[in-house]
Amino acid sequence: MFQRFTSFPHSGATRATSPSGWWPSRRLRPPPSGRRTLPALPDGGVFHSDPPSMDPLPSPPQYPSCFSPSCLFSCRCPMGNLLKVLTYNELDQGPNFFLDFEHAQPTEAETTVWNQVNAVLEEAQTILAELQSYTGAGQEIREAIQNPSDLQLQEKAWNAVCPLVAKLKRFYEFSLRLENALRSLLEALTGPPYAPTQHLEREQALAKQFAEILHFTLSFDELKMTNPAIQNDFSYYRRTISRNRINNLQLDSESEVNNEMANRMSLFYAEATPMLKTLSNATTKFVSENKMLPIEDTTDCLSTMACVCRVMLETPEYRSRFTNTETLLFCMRVMVGVIILYDHVHPVGAFAKTSKIDMKGCIKVLKDQPSNSTEGLLNALRYTTRHLNDDTTSKQIRALLQ
């Protein structure tokens, strides 16, 4: 291989050129006088017989015959499994494996944690059903306030509120159990020796339970935000207790919800999204207490689940595996839930350019669905995330959420 020189008229200068396939051009001197050179080319250029040393190009890597797009989805060979657990940075489309939210069953290694979490989740549907049917004691409270001297109406309002406050107490106590369940799942899905992506693929029953907790959380908070009777009832209850304490009266229900419990419940229900706040605090606490565990292990678990949900929603092959139409909404809720958790736990949040979550893709997936099923989820991204209005959030993402 030889270096080609081109001579410029009237200047005597010579520069090296680099046609396609030659090494990069660099400035070289013409051969000294008296040195034998090769014949000139027709266009005036000459060949130099002393090319710079060149290392041979490395051979392209040899992949097994199973390396194909279909391998990412269905191959059972070791190469297919390796490709499926590539991280977001290693594969532009993110982790491509199917999380079976409908039929995943625990393996022997998952059984202990699965049983602990399942005991909590079995109560979740009952909690949602009770919250959905919560009508409040608004009428009785209004009558009691309008007629403060009518003891019969005061007693009627009190008797209506007390069982409702007992129900609110159960909701709050369930949030504490849910916090402990989340901690057990985080320990199982982020600990060594596996990476978070591998955990999610290997331990799908636990990943499903994590998803069910997020689904419950967003469902609970959505119902709570649309039911002002919850805070009205509890406020009336606390005012009545304070008034009776001043008058040295003791009410039977005070033993069930004492002042300390009432204060904690008040802080819980003052939040717009109390269950999500509970999970966010639990995740942050988990990260701070496990200093030997890199924070990336926890945030990568969240970002990977968000990515997997997005890919499952936008890939027809994956969506066709859903046997229940409710699974589609379930998957969207889970995706939004892990985005919000990630945004609360990660130092720069989910909307920065350095985020491992494809926020544009996730928002587009939500907007491609009927608005009646996703508007609440888009509002959750608008109003319950922490970093949306940061300077690091791109204008395109803000525009998508307008």
Side-chain angles (χ1 to χ4, degrees), residues 144-376:
I145 292 175
Q146 292 170 0
N147 301 277
S149 60
D150 191 328
L151 297 181
Q152 186 175 358
L153 290 178
Q154 303 301 316
E155 185 177 355
K156 180 182 177 182
W158 179 254
N159 291 336
V161 165
C162 285
L164 295 175
V165 170
K167 187 178 294 187
L168 295 179
K169 180 188 176 187
R170 288 201 304 275
F171 296 168
Y172 169 72
E173 290 173 336
F174 181 78
S175 74
L176 303 180
R177 297 177 60 201
L178 198 70
E179 179 180 348
N180 291 331
L182 177 70
R183 182 183 182 87
S184 297
L185 288 175
L186 288 174
E187 289 174 350
L189 293 173
T190 60
Y194 302 113
T197 306
Q198 293 170 309
H199 273 299
L200 291 175
E201 187 179 16
R202 294 170 60 94
E203 298 155 7
Q204 295 219 358
L206 298 185
K208 178 187 175 186
Q209 287 185 320
F210 186 69
E212 288 172 342
I213 287 178
L214 292 168
H215 180 264
F216 165 82
T217 297
L218 267 67
S219 300
F220 182 96
D221 287 345
E222 188 174 337
L223 290 172
K224 185 265 178 185
M225 282 192 292
T226 57
N227 195 341
I230 292 174
Q231 283 187 276
N232 292 338
D233 293 347
F234 194 66
S235 295
Y236 177 80
Y237 176 85
R238 297 206 70 188
R239 288 198 306 271
T240 303
I241 287 182
S242 298
R243 185 171 62 248
N244 290 333
R245 188 175 293 116
I246 292 173
N247 296 328
N248 294 321
L249 297 176
Q250 181 71 27
L251 299 173
D252 293 339
S253 65
E254 283 193 69
S255 58
E256 183 176 353
V257 180
N258 57 34
N259 191 52
E260 182 184 353
M261 172 64 75
N263 287 336
R264 284 185 278 152
M265 289 173 60
S266 181
L267 292 174
F268 177 76
Y269 288 109
E271 295 287 342
T273 53
M275 285 292 177
L276 187 61
K277 180 68 173 178
T278 297
L279 295 195
S280 173
N281 289 343
T283 307
T284 304
K285 184 178 179 182
F286 173 80
V287 170
S288 64
E289 290 181 351
N290 291 270
K291 299 187 183 300
M292 299 300 294
L293 185 70
I295 186 175
E296 290 79 11
D297 283 13
T298 303
T299 55
D300 284 357
C301 176
L302 300 175
S303 62
T304 300
M305 184 168 279
C307 184
V308 169
C309 289
R310 175 183 60 78
V311 172
M312 287 166 59
L313 288 167
E314 65 188 10
T315 305
E317 180 181 347
Y318 285 162
R319 290 180 59 157
S320 65
R321 298 192 198 180
F322 296 153
T323 58
N324 189 337
T325 55
E326 290 296 317
T327 307
L328 185 66
L329 178 59
F330 178 90
C331 200
M332 289 189 287
R333 284 185 184 276
V334 173
M335 181 180 72
V336 171
V338 290
I339 288 173
I340 296 171
L341 270 187
Y342 182 98
D343 192 60
H344 279 253
V345 175
H346 196 279
V348 298
F351 300 95
K353 291 182 180 179
T354 55
S355 168
K356 292 185 179 180
I357 298 178
D358 178 9
M359 286 304 305
K360 291 181 183 177
C362 292
I363 296 171
K364 183 178 183 300
V365 164
L366 293 175
K367 290 202 163 188
D368 286 344
Q369 312 303 321
S371 59
N372 61 335
S373 62
T374 60
E375 189 59 29

Side-chain angles (χ1 to χ4, degrees), residues 385-397:
T385 49
R386 179 176 292 175
H387 296 279
L388 175 60
N389 295 318
D390 288 0
D391 293 337
T392 54
T393 302
S394 69
K395 294 180 179 179
Q396 292 88 345
I397 292 179

Side-chain angles (χ1 to χ4, degrees), residues 39-54:
L41 293 174
D43 62 353
V46 296
F47 285 109
H48 183 241
S49 59
D50 296 322
S53 61
M54 293 286 290

